[in-house]
Structure formats: C-alpha cells, structure tokens
Amino acid sequence: MTDGLVWESSTWGGGVAFYDPDLVGRALASAYLITHTQFCDLVAQEMHCGVEDDIDLEPVWHERVHELGMGRYERLLVVDELDDLPVVTFTCPAGHRPPPNAPSTAYLDTIARGLRETHHLDDEAITHYLDSLQA
C-alpha cells in the first residue's frame, strides 16, 4: 500500500531510496559508529523536523523495530550486529512505500561511489547491483 505521494528528495532531486526488510536478498551499505545524539540529529534531518536528542530507542532494542510516525524514514530498524553493536537504519513505515520514482544522477553517483569505496565493486558490478534493485 502507498499513501499516493511520490516522494522526492529536496536535497538531490528525484526519487528517494528506502530499505525494505521484507524483500529477499542483501542490501549493500556502509556503517558508521555514531552517538545517540548524532543518530537523533540524522533522523531529524531526514524527516525534515526539529532536532531532538531524546528519541527513545528502547523499543528498537527490544522489538528490533519502532515506528515514530507516518512520515518518510520514521521506521527505525535493527538490521544486524557489527562488532557486538546493533546496526540501526531508518526507512518508510510498513505499508507506506511510495511508488517508484527515478533517482537523480547525482544521487546515483553518490551511491555508486559508496559501493566502490566500501564494497570495492567495479562499474559493471555496480550497474548490475543497482539494476537488480529497481522495483
């Protein structure tokens, strides 16, 4: 189900990306060790709301998922562990995935650079990986 909105990045232009925990396969990503305050700031920036340094993460630790609201990126998920620390991401709320919207070239270039740097993929492997993600 979607909410009828075509979500577009105000920073990059074009479509925005979401992690879908219900899809089969691997999502390649980069991980950063940040503080609770930094995480809250990042979530606030992505949700385009005021910075709050008091997001209660206890429900995420216990349930591995917690929805803060219905806006984009308001679903917090523990997706894995790395060095005995939880790997947390945020995505759109369950059942509210927007319709596909092509990302901007600048956004794709940034994703490609991350895949090259973090996962040491060549251009052909990057193209294959990104093509496999199209909904």
Side-chain angles (χ1 to χ4, degrees):
M1 179 177 116
T2 66
D3 57 14
L5 294 176
V6 176
W7 288 345
E8 187 152 319
S9 171
S10 60
T11 302
W12 298 98
V16 293
F18 296 98
Y19 170 73
D20 188 340
D22 297 324
L23 292 179
V24 176
R26 277 182 34 202
L28 299 178
S30 299
Y32 301 92
L33 181 60
I34 60 176
T35 66
H36 177 238
T37 300
Q38 289 169 322
F39 181 77
C40 292
D41 181 57
L42 185 59
V43 170
Q45 288 178 48
E46 290 298 329
M47 293 188 306
H48 300 283
C49 64
V51 175
E52 296 181 25
D53 61 3
D54 63 350
I55 293 175
D56 180 10
L57 296 177
E58 285 302 313
V60 180
W61 308 146
H62 295 294
E63 304 297 326
R64 300 185 67 83
V65 61
H66 180 60
E67 293 195 11
L68 301 171
M70 296 309 295
R72 63 180 176 188
Y73 298 119
E74 291 194 41
R75 183 179 185 198
L76 308 180
L77 300 164
V78 175
V79 296
D80 206 344
E81 286 191 2
L82 184 61
D83 297 332
D84 295 323
L85 295 171
V87 176
V88 182
T89 192
F90 40 85
T91 191
C92 62
H96 292 285
R97 183 176 180 188
N101 184 16
S104 70
T105 300
Y107 189 56
L108 284 175
D109 288 346
T110 299
I111 292 170
R113 187 170 50 253
L115 292 169
R116 208 173 280 110
E117 291 172 0
T118 303
H119 299 282
H120 311 289
L121 300 181
D122 61 24
D123 289 344
E124 183 178 339
I126 290 169
T127 299
H128 178 73
Y129 176 72
L130 292 176
D131 285 348
S132 75
L133 300 177
Q134 293 185 20

